[in-house]
Amino acid sequence: MKKDLGVLPAVYPMPVLMVAAYDKNEKVNVMNVAWGQICDEDKIILFIGEGKRTWLNIQESKAFTVALADRAHMDVADFFGIASGNKIDDKFERTGYHAVKSDKVHAPIIEEFPLVMECELLEFLHSDYVDGIVGRIVNVKADEAVLNEKDKVEPEKLNTILFDQFRNGYYAIGEKVGKAWNAGAGLMKQ
């Protein structure tokens, strides 16, 4: 029997996305965003509140990058989530991390994170119920160390972390348990 738990953000797991943009002075800012998702083959949506430093920077620069946080960099990824760029002016500098300018969009790439999507701003969504940023993914870059011999990303090598809203924890991705668009194929024949 199921038990009522009340209202919870009960989607599990959530991504741990590092969203980076330049401000008007070309200063790097990075934000940890769990409420984001792919919304088409070449589009991503990030649910970031209006007025956040990252929101303002993307509004100014019209571009951003989204990196997947990994186990090796969990501490800094968490810091990017708990430290506000509106309150801590040297937020990025405190980490000792390195950024290079994307050659595809006007946004920084944080070198320490192994996979990054380079995005151009498509639109801001703002209503009484949701604030969001929609971007077009114009390119994906990945460290060679997370690729296989066919230059495909190997999730086990990527070692991405996920966010658990039930217990406020980060978890590493586990083993592959099935093949998408195949695991349920037997039911198609009934």
Side-chain angles (χ1 to χ4, degrees):
M1 180 193 318
K2 289 186 176 54
K3 184 175 183 178
D4 289 338
L5 299 178
V7 177
L8 295 170
V11 173
Y12 173 84
M14 301 290 288
V16 181
L17 306 173
M18 299 294 100
V19 180
Y22 289 122
D23 71 7
K24 63 184 175 187
N25 298 314
E26 301 295 302
K27 185 174 181 164
V28 175
N29 180 259
V30 186
M31 177 184 190
N32 179 327
V33 176
W35 296 357
Q37 185 61 281
I38 296 296
C39 57
D40 200 351
E41 290 289 322
D42 66 343
K43 292 174 192 68
I44 189 166
I45 187 165
L46 306 169
F47 298 101
I48 298 173
E50 185 176 21
K52 299 257 187 206
R53 170 73 59 96
T54 303
W55 172 284
L56 298 170
N57 290 345
I58 293 171
Q59 188 176 41
E60 176 79 26
S61 67
K62 309 292 188 240
F64 56 96
T65 58
V66 179
L68 301 182
D70 64 337
R71 190 176 201 163
H73 303 97
M74 178 182 59
D75 57 341
V76 171
D78 189 60
F79 172 73
F80 285 146
I82 59 178
S84 168
N86 286 328
K87 295 179 182 173
I88 299 176
D89 192 51
D90 66 342
K91 178 178 168 179
F92 181 71
E93 292 80 5
R94 283 187 188 193
T95 67
Y97 277 24
H98 307 91
V100 295
K101 187 173 182 177
S102 164
D103 60 349
K104 308 289 185 205
V105 298
H106 182 70
I109 293 173
I110 310 310
E111 292 188 301
E112 284 74 8
F113 296 113
L115 186 133
V116 63
M117 293 167 269
E118 299 164 287
C119 306
E120 61 186 16
L121 174 65
L122 289 179
E123 75 175 305
F124 283 97
L125 304 175
H126 178 68
S127 74
D128 291 341
Y129 305 103
V130 68
D131 289 311
I133 297 170
V134 180
R136 179 183 328 278
I137 302 165
V138 299
N139 189 50
V140 175
K141 285 181 172 42
D143 290 347
E144 289 183 19
V146 301
L147 302 176
N148 65 20
E149 62 281 347
K150 296 180 182 177
D151 286 340
K152 300 289 184 190
V153 175
E154 290 283 336
E156 297 84 4
K157 293 178 181 179
L158 192 57
N159 214 3
T160 301
I161 57 172
L162 304 171
F163 175 58
D164 164 16
Q165 293 191 117
F166 296 115
R167 298 171 291 177
N168 292 328
Y170 295 115
Y171 296 85
I173 291 180
E175 67 181 288
K176 183 177 181 178
V177 297
K179 186 171 180 178
W181 297 283
N182 182 278
L187 294 171
M188 297 294 292
K189 298 173 186 173
Q190 292 183 6

